[in-house]
Amino acid sequence: TIRIDLSVVSNSFGMPNDDFCHSYNGRKEKTMPTYKDEATGKWYCSFYYTDLRGKRVRKLKRGFKFKRDADKWERDFLTNEHPDDVTVDVLIAEYEAYLQNQFTIGNIKESTLVVKKNRLRLYVKPYFKDVIAQNVKPKHITSWLTLITTINPKPLKSVNYYYRDRPEEKRKTRRSSQTLNEARAVLKQVFDWGVKYYGLKTNPVNEVARVKKYSPDERAKIWSVEQYQQFRNVLTRKDMIAVFDIRFYAGLRIGEVMMLTPNDITPYQINIDKALVQLSYKNTKTDTPKSENSTRCVQIPKFLYESLKEYIDNSFDLKPTDVIFDIQEQTIRVHLNANAVKAGLPRISPHCLRHSYASHLLKLTKDPATVAKQIGDTVNTLLKTYTHMIPEADREAADIFEKYIEQKK
């Protein structure tokens, strides 16, 4: 495990016996009187207390001009729950408990709870173990982000379909900016908790900028209609054809596709009110769609409705409330990669089929509100995510402007 050197001075200086006590929250805390440092002429205090992890430690604070200042600092420290001694571990544990409570009362989804706890487990806990929160500075956050940027490649396994047929030099060696910014965001929330409930003076994450956009993913971001048709022509499994058609021609999320029933598909539209959520590699559950906007009625092309109706009619013993597709998400990924290679097309992620739909629909309709309603997103998210994915949009805009100028001339 890599650890960050925060140059944190331990507050354990040995525990000599003494007869002094200080009352703190009903307990008797052993203390030592304030002393004068003959070398500097300054006063200092030294006392014992039980820290937030239940350990007995000794606190030493130097540099007071007057004895009364040293005495006051000791009293304030013991009275105010010593926020300068709380560790990042304690903040994380309490923040996770808060998230669990929010899930219990229904304020957040289980997927949100699991994702945030996983980010803390993978990216934060190993690097900030036993670190005093008050001593964390912006430079330490920057060092931490640098450390988690690098990926240590693991030995390839036969089940790793994305990498097994790629040369080693093409494998990812660093994490994307999205992953880094997600890790930064959850750490920021932990320190916000410390500022609010433990009296930390500042949140050091606020002083560190988000990581600039970077992605090691070299796959295509969208496919043209011609490319998708080329890919579709090499597919052999009818269930895969139906799944990929729904994603490319209707823009549904993979979790929404996996929970479709025959009742959800009516003439020329698909009704979305549930989704399959993958909480871990082996743990999936049925949940409401991703957001409030995601519960929607998607208008679909007539040819897509007819092909889906034919597939459902030919499915043996499929009841109206049964799930149409009994397929694992990993199986869909494997078929997409394998058949893209077979068709001689650039690789693309399954989610980018949805991006392709949104980008083409936005290009054709020029109506962000309608497209956002179709894909179950907000207009702001749509414009932020999809407009830059249309490669010829800039050229078309310039051509339209040129035509306008020529008409005026």
Side-chain angles (χ1 to χ4, degrees), residues 8 24 30 54 68 96 110 148 306 337 356 364 383 406:
V8 179
Y24 168 55
K30 286 185 175 292
R68 62 175 179 270
E96 287 181 331
E110 186 176 5
I148 66 173
E306 297 297 340
N337 282 330
S356 300
L364 292 170
L383 297 176
E406 291 298 328

Side-chain angles (χ1 to χ4, degrees), residues 109-123:
K109 290 187 174 185
E110 186 176 5
S111 56
T112 301
L113 171 67
V114 171
V115 166
K116 289 193 175 185
K117 291 180 73 171
N118 282 341
R119 288 171 185 164
L120 289 168
R121 176 178 59 84
L122 293 172
Y123 305 125

Side-chain angles (χ1 to χ4, degrees), residues 250 252 256-257 259-275 289 294-300 308 324:
L252 269 64
E256 296 168 348
V257 174
M259 290 307 299
L260 286 178
T261 67
N263 279 345
D264 295 326
I265 300 177
T266 56
Y268 317 131
Q269 65 184 25
I270 298 177
N271 301 300
I272 307 297
D273 60 1
K274 53 192 172 301
S294 300
T295 301
R296 65 198 188 280
C297 180
V298 180
Q299 303 300 317
I300 60 176
L308 291 177
I324 299 174

Side-chain angles (χ1 to χ4, degrees), residues 121-153:
R121 176 178 59 84
L122 293 172
Y123 305 125
V124 179
K125 289 183 179 180
Y127 302 91
F128 290 91
K129 187 175 178 59
D130 296 327
V131 170
I132 296 176
Q134 193 69 49
N135 291 350
V136 180
K137 306 300 179 186
K139 66 178 182 180
H140 304 133
I141 303 299
T142 302
S143 298
W144 163 69
L145 284 172
T146 303
L147 283 174
I148 66 173
T149 296
T150 304
I151 297 175
N152 296 321

